[in-house]
Amino acid sequence: MEAVLTHHLDINAPLNLQAYRAAGGYRSLNAAFDRKPEEIIETVEAANLRGRGGAGFSCGLKWRLRGADAPRPRYLICNIDESEPGTFKDRHLLYGGPHQIIEAVIVSAYALQAEQAVIFVRGEYAKGGNGLRRALEEAEIAGLVGTNIGGNGFDLQIEVHVSGGRYICGEETAMLNAIEGRRPNPRPKIPRPSVKGLWGYPTTTNNVETLVNVPHILLNGAAWFHDLGVNGGCGTKLFCVSGMVQHPGLFELPCGTSARELIFEHAGGLAEGRTLLGFLPGGASTAFLLPEHLDVPMDFDPVAKAGSRLGTGSIIVLDDTTCPVQVTLNLMRFFARESCGFCTPCRDGLPYLAQILTAIAAGEGQAEDLALLEELSDIIGPQSFCAFAPGAVTPLISSLQGFRKHYESHIATGRCPFDAADRNGA
Amino acid sequence: MNDKLDRQALQRHLDQLPPMHPERRAAAVPMMQALQIEHGCLDDAAVEEVAHLTGLSVTEIDELATFYSLIYRRPAGRHVLRICDSVCCSLRGADRLLIAAENYSGVPLGKISPDGAFSILPSICLGLCDQAPAALVGDEAVGPLDEASLEALLQRLREED
Amino acid sequence: MGTIRIENHEIPFREGDNILKTALAAGMEIPYFCYHTALGSLGACRLCAVEITPKDPGKAPQVVMACLEPARGGIEVSISSAAAQQVRQKVIEFLMTNHPHDCPVCDEGGECHLQEMTVACGPPYRRYRGRKRTFTNQYLGPLVHHEMNRCITCYRCTRFYQDYALGDDLGAMRLRNEVYFGRFQDGPLASPFAGNLVEICPTGVFTDAVFRQHFARVWDLKTAPSICPHCSIGCNTLPGARDGMLRRVRNRFHPDLNRWFICDRGRYGHQYSEHPARPLTSRVDGAKVSYRQALAAAAEQIKAVGDKTGGLGSVREDLEGNTLLRALLNGFNGIFTAFSDPRLEAATITAVTALQNTTGAPSLAEMEQADAALIVGDLTAHAPMIDLALRQAYRSGARLAVLHSGPTPLARFAATALAIPPHEMSVCLSHLSERAAAPSAANSNQKEMLANIVVSLTASHRPLLIGVTETLSASQIAVLAQLAAALGPGARLAYALPGANAYGAALLSQTGRATAMLEAIETGHIQNLIVAGNDPLGDTRLGARWRAARQRLDSLIVLDCVATATAEAADILIPVAAWAERSGTFVNYEGRAQGFTHTFRRPEFLPSTAEVIADLARHLELVLPDIAAALGDTFPGYQAPVPGAPGSPLPAPAIPMHIDTTIHQGCESHPGRWQAALSTWYGDDPLASFAPALTELVPAVAALISPAAALNEGIKAGERVRLQGPAGTVVLPVQPDNDVAAGTIALTRAVLAQLGAGHGDPLELEKVS
Ligand SMILES: Cc1cc2nc3c(=O)[nH]c(=O)nc-3n(C[C@H](O)[C@H](O)[C@H](O)COP(=O)(O)O)c2cc1C
Ligand code: SF4
Ligand code: FES
């Protein structure tokens, strides 16, 4: 397969404007400006481009639902807050090819007829953010961004916002607050940001990986995009594989590639003599899958059918030397620490879960703790204010099911059976 | 650190907020970041300056400053080393790195090393899982690290400036 | 309007309302923490879980937050479903993981919403085995005590403080289960409404620091419906007393006035009644005597001089006391007025007359609906709750215009704020009034701004004009009324009057009587003066003249509950009950008569003013009508308002008065280079200035002048100037302040009293080298 999104990426020496153009960059602008915005949205919808930020919502549909007659100004936000553990694809896009991002933002903003765009970069990627700003300056000087772009009356202002740093800032309504200079707590879901978003105006937020597909779809068409995928998937996907594999890394592969192929062919498989315990298919807030799920196509619907989510397409691999209780505890501490503190179930419930898991991991668990974890999770997930806490309890609930025996043995023996084992394999 | 900040650039930034941002508070985070570079951390004087620039109160600035992980309200060492302790790095040995880092610096995580050379902070996933266990030195990514390469790194930082 | 089924009852709802609001309005209980009627929904605490069953039978029941879910026709809501109860129980369990188990020693005990909800919804036992997070507390000043460990993070405090009251020095810091509500640094909360935190917090994080000093359990407190005595708004309050001592004051809901909140003067001013210097025993010529002896002495004095007796009532004295004192004076043809300053007398009477000629002043709730307002003077100090009402109007988009001579916090929220020297205020107001009647072109920058104000008032649907009586002259007050009339029937007019019963006092007084009284004393026509709740000797403008006149009196008889300069100088002093120790009536700025009843009795014998006067009349063998009859004579059809009820308009015959709106250019033009402006603060009134916790917050005394004036004079901030007024000189540091008008020196009441100057009077300023 030919790489589409990673074709010109170079983390160490990203292409400048001239080189990017020489390699065919910014060609999609003409393709876009030749069409009506609605046509572009139709094409993107026909391509079945689904959001790469975690929820997998259809990009074209989201754009269409915003409405062509939405009040002005309209905002587009490109989400590069990437903080989901296990996910590093957006970093490659940012550091490796800033002009690809700017091109994608321009054509997407044109499709949405948005005159203001913010590219929101996580604070830990500040260096990448600076590279992006330099690229943006080049693009502005070249007249690719600004007023009357391409001579057809379309104005676009782009801003790079480097975050102060917090996982929750990636949540689209928290991000609106972050950009406005308010505390980045999420906002209520009614009215939707597409109606009342940044500064009260219609706002569309997409993950950067979602957006960088748009120029290619414009240039090559929806059918081409369909053909890129396998097993019913559409387009390519930037898969991250990390954890207990020989060669962690980023792999651009057809959407629908199996986890088996990703883990064992592309990421080099497990260390000598190890067996697979399980894996998170889409980042830290997805449900664990087990070895029996290795052949599930890594695409939105099949992974959902298997009981998890494709999420960001980031596979985190556990082998038989890893203690699933420890891993789950690590995840829970992450979520308890990153909770914005707005709503009760998340703010006070997650530390409660972490406390119970700490006790179990340390061999101090009690018989009723497993039922308690489930009882609490059943409230914390569904009853919290935003999607953060449901994501936080998802791996726990699946871990309690998939790795039940491990929990029981911690409690029964009063110790972690992996304590002696070497957990630093790979 | 202690680069003299271009105050005119800050003012230009404020002037250029509209029409994208109708309120000056939109400049709060960029201003905090800029002043933190100058002051080494966002000390009280810096909070006051950001408040002045954005028209918010010092309390309103502090509400933001204390939320963000990359805004330091207390002094940090000359170098800030952020070691990832999230799942992928932890699977590959981050816990041992954190212990080693603490032992090497002789102070608990989060505190400034006695010579002022560095502060070591545990961090959430840095998006460097393909280089796990990984860390950021300032804005520079390093990894995969082991105890030996970490100590060498700290040694180097200690000797720098 | 549709109906929704809640717990099998058909409940009507208003379109756009949520389930929680709908249920509460119908008197059904759904537990909640973060919701508040004044603050609306937030959706953070997740306690208000209910189960809804959609109309569509294919859809499964679902637990939702009642505060966020719109009420819709056809859905069934269950508060008591097992699923909803489960959620509430877990929410409480989560909150209690960190909440200390300190109920036995907590100030909130007995009125803690968290405690009630925990008993009602929570699990009976604790399962969490971990450590609790702990915080350090901040010093937030003398009024509010901070105990962060108890926090349940409902964000009510900051939503009230920042979003509702527009304060900016209390905020939410940090995140996760470490969210911390506090200030940038330790220090007193700056908002005039900070004390409401005590009531808005559902648990014991913010508690009443003054109450703490003499703490009592709520169930041990004696309470009774009362009316705040500290300004003319008449906020409804609930004082609490124990063991013969007033411990605290809380808000009491009034649907049109204060509703959920009161200002800090109203909450903490009550400490005056516990002030160590408060007169509690009668004195004759400095010697302590019994009440009877004092009465006998007073009667003897009055008999000795016959009809040469004057009676000075007060704007802070209740309707009963003023009315009976006037009736007593009528008994021997003496002079009565409630005002020691003729200017204030004329201004207040003019204001009341102007209101009588319109639809009357709007309630606070109506003021919040204004879409444009013109404010003349500093409302924050003179009527704090009007300031809060206007902050609500501002939040809903009203354009505020403020004309002021000295600092005023509302200027910050004003679309137009103009600093006008007192002597130019008349011209300014006339200009506005003329323009409203006949628009014309502007010919100066200031005139253009005034023109904009008129445009904004004319363009609005519900314009509101408010003047501060104490800093306006009678003619200025009349011009403001003219402006209101010119704006048409939609325009509303109100005045911040100078005391809790100023409206009532004005109806009992007559313009010119204050001058007449003073002159009669100076010429010996009055030899005996009865003062009830007034302080002529401490008057800012005329104090010196009153002190001189006092020398000519045979005797000064004072009835009061605070140690004013006049009380200190009394020949016969008869202490009276403070407001919470007696029953009475105040007539507020709208002309609404509201009754209050005594919360408790002190161990000392302390009659009300009206009771003292009735006793005095008996000693004089004078036949006085009883209080009810006296009130009925004065206000035909009068019925005493029932304490606890919302009050009713005082049936008052219109004051026959010709209002003179001609501005006498000559006499109002600037006589010198500098003139005084009264600049006070929200904690200042004749009673509250005896409340120690409030007086801790008095702003530093300085001479405030505009920065331009400071530059002109070559005076830097902090350098000292000598001010010279008719009654004396004062040396003060200078503080440049943008809100002070040109040629104006903004000074506190106490400094003005030392200088003998009132608002607008000329002063001399000289740099001290
Ligand atoms: C807690 C939380 C964190 C999130 N973080 C990110 C993120 O870092 N990057 C991202 O693209 N989307 C993130 N999302 C998803 C966004 O809210 C949003 O759905 C997404 O950016 C939409 O883009 P897409 O439709 O292109 O996927 C997060 C969501 C939640 C609930
Ligand atoms: S506004 Fe006036 S009446 Fe109301 S509480 Fe405050 S001081 Fe009392
Ligand atoms: S009252 Fe509904 S969530 Fe708090």
Side-chain angles (χ1 to χ4, degrees), chain A residues 20-272:
Chain A
Y20 182 68
R21 275 190 143 159
Y26 288 107
R27 273 196 303 131
S28 70
L29 263 55
N30 288 334
F33 295 156
D34 284 348
R35 291 187 230 183
K36 287 212 187 84
E38 307 88 83
E39 283 176 50
I40 302 176
I41 295 180
E42 271 167 36
T43 310
V44 171
E45 198 173 352
N48 193 21
L49 170 63
R50 295 181 62 174
R52 277 23 180 176
F57 193 79
S58 160
C59 177
L61 179 59
K62 184 192 274 190
W63 291 8
R64 183 156 61 80
L65 291 179
R66 202 259 349 238
D69 50 0
R72 291 177 182 279
R74 300 145 171 190
Y75 291 89
L76 168 68
I77 299 176
C78 171
N79 190 341
I80 318 187
D81 193 49
E82 184 169 77
S83 310
E84 176 86 357
T87 311
F88 44 88
K89 62 190 181 68
D90 299 348
R91 176 172 57 88
H92 283 263
L93 289 173
L94 172 67
Y95 284 77
H99 277 293
Q100 176 173 245
I101 297 173
I102 295 167
E103 178 179 4
V105 168
I106 297 169
V107 295
S108 305
Y110 176 76
L112 287 157
Q113 288 294 294
E115 50 269 81
Q116 308 285 355
V118 180
I119 307 179
F120 191 97
V121 177
R122 82 174 288 196
E124 287 84 348
Y125 295 172
K127 214 179 147 201
N130 288 336
L132 185 59
R133 282 192 180 126
R134 280 193 299 274
L136 184 59
E137 259 169 49
E138 286 182 306
E140 280 166 353
I141 292 167
L144 298 167
V145 177
T147 46
N148 195 17
I149 305 170
N152 77 349
F154 173 59
D155 298 346
L156 175 65
Q157 192 188 351
I158 302 182
E159 175 186 279
V160 176
H161 179 106
V162 174
S163 172
R166 275 304 167 193
Y167 175 73
I168 192 63
C169 295
E171 197 277 338
E172 75 173 299
T173 60
M175 183 172 290
L176 301 176
N177 281 333
I179 295 171
E180 289 183 7
R182 301 175 202 283
R183 279 171 64 83
N185 293 318
R187 295 181 181 177
K189 298 300 165 276
I190 316 169
R192 299 209 53 83
S194 56
V195 177
K196 227 168 162 276
L198 198 62
W199 302 112
Y201 289 96
T203 303
T204 309
T205 301
N206 279 108
N207 174 255
V208 62
E209 189 198 348
T210 315
L211 293 183
V212 292
N213 277 292
V214 174
H216 299 284
I217 292 173
L218 271 185
L219 289 171
N220 302 304
W224 165 85
F225 191 73
H226 281 238
D227 291 345
L228 285 176
V230 294
N231 296 324
C234 296
T236 64
K237 175 81 194 78
L238 300 182
F239 291 107
C240 308
V241 186
S242 64
M244 305 306 280
V245 290
Q246 302 266 25
H247 306 300
L250 177 78
F251 310 100
E252 182 181 7
L253 290 167
C255 196
T257 304
S258 75
R260 185 185 302 282
E261 183 185 330
L262 273 160
I263 297 172
F264 289 96
E265 284 179 32
H266 301 282
L270 310 179
E272 202 48 47

Side-chain angles (χ1 to χ4, degrees), chain A residues 283-346:
Chain A
S285 56
T286 58
F288 281 101
L289 292 180
L290 300 171
E292 69 209 57
H293 299 116
L294 273 174
D295 293 312
V296 172
M298 290 289 286
D299 184 17
F300 296 93
D301 297 334
V303 178
K305 225 173 125 207
S308 187
R309 276 190 307 118
L310 182 65
T312 58
S314 306
I315 298 183
I316 303 168
V317 176
L318 316 190
D319 69 15
D320 56 353
T321 65
T322 44
C323 171
V325 179
Q326 287 288 354
V327 169
T328 309
L329 170 60
N330 179 288
L331 294 173
M332 196 51 70
R333 284 194 175 144
F334 167 86
F335 287 114
R337 192 161 83 185
E338 289 301 300
S339 166
C340 82
F342 183 73
C343 73
T344 307
C346 176

Side-chain angles (χ1 to χ4, degrees), chain A residues 385-408:
Chain A
F385 186 80
C386 83
F388 177 100
V393 296
T394 297
L396 169 64
I397 293 171
S398 63
S399 170
L400 283 169
Q401 287 161 1
F403 311 119
R404 190 84 179 181
K405 279 210 215 57
H406 291 88
Y407 285 87
E408 285 166 354

Side-chain angles (χ1 to χ4, degrees), chain C residues 20 32-35 43-48 65 67:
Chain C
L20 181 58
Y32 62 87
F33 284 124
C34 66
Y35 177 83
C45 75
R46 318 305 280 181
L47 187 66
C48 64
M65 294 306 140
C67 71

